[in-house]
Every structure is written in structure tokens, then in C-alpha cells.
Amino acid sequence: MTAATALILRLALWLLPLVLGYLAGRAWGRPRVVGGLLVGALAAGLLVKPFPLGWALVGLGFALGVPLRRG
């Protein structure tokens, strides 16, 4: 595995909890969808090193995805 491939894989691993958290926030109002996406995001967040960074990315993505108002 080259250094560039490892860098791309690491970047994808860091972005996965953020994206899944964002999608969970966008699914606000559909509890089964939100729950499933959050479980996947938290599981992916466990793989991100350093440890608390993954869960912080999940929280950030979720906060960015939750709609402030529907209109």
C-alpha cells in the first residue's frame, strides 16, 4: 500500500462518522432511521484515532444536519 492510498483511506475513515452523523441529523423525525445511522456513525467513530475525535465528528455532523426549522 502506498502512502497516498493510506492517506486517502484515513481521510475516508475520518469523514465517515461526520457524514453518517450529518445524515442522521437530516433524518430528524424518523426515529428508526436516525437510530440506525447514529449506531453506524458511533461504530465508525470508534475506529478513528485519537479516540474521542471520532465521536466529536459524529456530534458535529449531527448538529450540522439537524434542521433548525421546517418551512
Side-chain angles (χ1 to χ4, degrees):
M1 181 182 316
T2 65
T5 306
L7 181 68
I8 290 171
L9 287 174
R10 176 169 253 175
L11 181 63
L13 184 63
W14 279 6
L15 290 179
L16 185 62
L18 181 73
V19 170
L20 289 176
Y22 177 79
L23 290 175
R26 295 303 300 166
W28 190 258
R30 296 179 293 270
R32 291 179 65 189
V33 175
V34 172
L37 285 169
L38 281 179
V39 166
L42 290 174
L46 282 174
L47 299 174
V48 174
K49 303 291 184 221
F51 169 66
L53 177 65
W55 285 1
L57 290 173
V58 172
L60 177 66
F62 186 77
L64 290 173
V66 173
L68 296 177
R69 59 185 165 133
R70 300 232 178 193

